[in-house]
C-alpha cells in the first residue's frame, strides 16, 4: 500500500515549505494540494494557488511524487493548463501526478459568475476537458472545436517529461465518471459517499463504488487491477489522523477493498482535518511509508 498526503495551500510558504520537505522525509509516496480558488469555510482565510505551490514544492523535494487534488474545468482551461502541466512536470523531473475531476458546485463554480451546471452537464464538460487536455499534451500542435472548448494551433513543445503525458488520476464515483476513469485514467481516485451517518456506512459506500468500478473495468475489457486505485480516507466521518489506531484501521480496510494507494491529510489546528501533528510523526515512525 502506497500512502499519500494532502497539504492544504493555506499557509505562507515559510510554513508550507517545511511540510513538503517533511512529507518526503517521512517517506510518503505522493503529496498533493487542493486545486481550488477557495474551499468551504476556508475561503475567508489564507489560500494559495496549486500550480505555484507545487512548483515550489518541487524545488524543496527530490523524490516524492506531487499532485493536484483535483484540477477541474471549473476554472482550468485545457490550453493554458497544458502549459502549466508541462512546466510542472519539467521542474519536478517527471514527478507530477494529475488528479482530475469534473468539478462540483460551490465557490469554484460560482466565483467566475458562470451559471451552475447540472451533474450531467459537468460530466459532459469533463469529458471534453479530458479529451482535449490529453490531446494537447501528447501532440506538438492541436486545433480543436468542441462544445465547451476551442483551441487554435495550441502548442505543447517540448512536451512533458513523462510520455506521452503525466498520469491522469481521474476522480469518479458515479457511472459516467467511472467510465471516464476507465477510458482516460492512469489511476482512479474515489471519496465514497459524502452523505452517510457514520464511518461504517461510509466504508459500505466505498465498497459499493469499488464494485461499480470493477464492473466498469470488466465491461471495457480491462482487468480489474489494470490501473492503481486511490482512496481519500478523509471523506469518512472519522479523520484518519485522529490517532495511530484510526490510521492503521483505515489503511487496512482500504487495502482489503483492493486499493493500491491511500490518501490522508496533514493535520490542521482547527476546522477541517483538525488534529495533532504528533500523530503524523508517530504514523511516520511506525509505518514503512
Amino acid at each position: 500500500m502506497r500512502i499519500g498526503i494532502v497539504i492544504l495551500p493555506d499557509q505562507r510558504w515559510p510554513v508550507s515549505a517545511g511540510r513538503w520537505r517533511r512529507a518526503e522525509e517521512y517517506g510518503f509516496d505522493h503529496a498533493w494540494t487542493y486545486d481550488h480558488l477557495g474551499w468551504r469555510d476556508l475561503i475567508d482565510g489564507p489560500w494559495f494557488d496549486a500550480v505555484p505551490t507545487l512548483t515550489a514544492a518541487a524545488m524543496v523535494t527530490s523524490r516524492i511524487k506531487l499532485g493536484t487534488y483535483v484540477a477541474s474545468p471549473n476554472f482550468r482551461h485545457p490550453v493554458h493548463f497544458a502549459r502549466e502541466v508541462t512546466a510542472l512536470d519539467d521542474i519536478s523531473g517527471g514527478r507530477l501526478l494529475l488528479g482530475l475531476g469534473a468539478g462540483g458546485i460551490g465557490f469554484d463554480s460560482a466565483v467566475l459568475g458562470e451559471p451552475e451546471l447540472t451533474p450531467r452537464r459537468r460530466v459532459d464538460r469533463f469529458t471534453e476537458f479530458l479529451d482535449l487536455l490529453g490531446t494537447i499534451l501528447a501532440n506538438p500542435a492541436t486545433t480543436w472545436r468542441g462544445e465547451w472548448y476551442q483551441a487554435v494551433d495550441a502548442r505543447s513543445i517540448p512536451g512533458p517529461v513523462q510520455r506521452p503525458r503525466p498520469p491522469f488520476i481521474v476522480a469518479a464515483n458515479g457511472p459516467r465518471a467511472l467510465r471516464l476513469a476507465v477510458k482516460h485514467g492512469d489511476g482512479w481516485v474515489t471519496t465514497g459517499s459524502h452523505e452517510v451517518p457514520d464511518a461504517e456506512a461510509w466504508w459500505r459506500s466505498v465498497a459499493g463504488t469499488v464494485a461499480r468500478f470493477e464492473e466498469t473495468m470488466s465491461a471495457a475489457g480491462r482487468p480489474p487491477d489494470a490501473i492503481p486505485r486511490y482512496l481519500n480516507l478523509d471523506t469518512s466521518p472519522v479523520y484518519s489522523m485522529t490517532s495511530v489506531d484510526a490510521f492503521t484501521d483505515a489503511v487496512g480496510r482500504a487495502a482489503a477493498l483492493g486499493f493500491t494507494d491511500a490518501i490522508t491529510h496533514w493535520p490542521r489546528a482547527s476546522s477541517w482535518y483538525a488534529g495533532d501533528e504528533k500523530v503524523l510523526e508517530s504514523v511516520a515512525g511506525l509505518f514503512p511509508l
Side-chain angles (χ1 to χ4, degrees), residues 8 38-47 107 268 270-272:
L8 265 61
W39 188 71
R40 298 190 178 181
D41 61 353
L42 303 185
I43 60 172
D44 293 323
W47 195 264
F107 188 80
R268 302 179 67 254
S270 61
S271 184
W272 296 93

Side-chain angles (χ1 to χ4, degrees), residues 23-38:
E24 180 165 87
E25 291 167 1
Y26 285 155
F28 284 98
D29 296 285
H30 30 82
W32 312 74
T33 200
Y34 281 5
D35 191 25
H36 295 296
L37 297 177

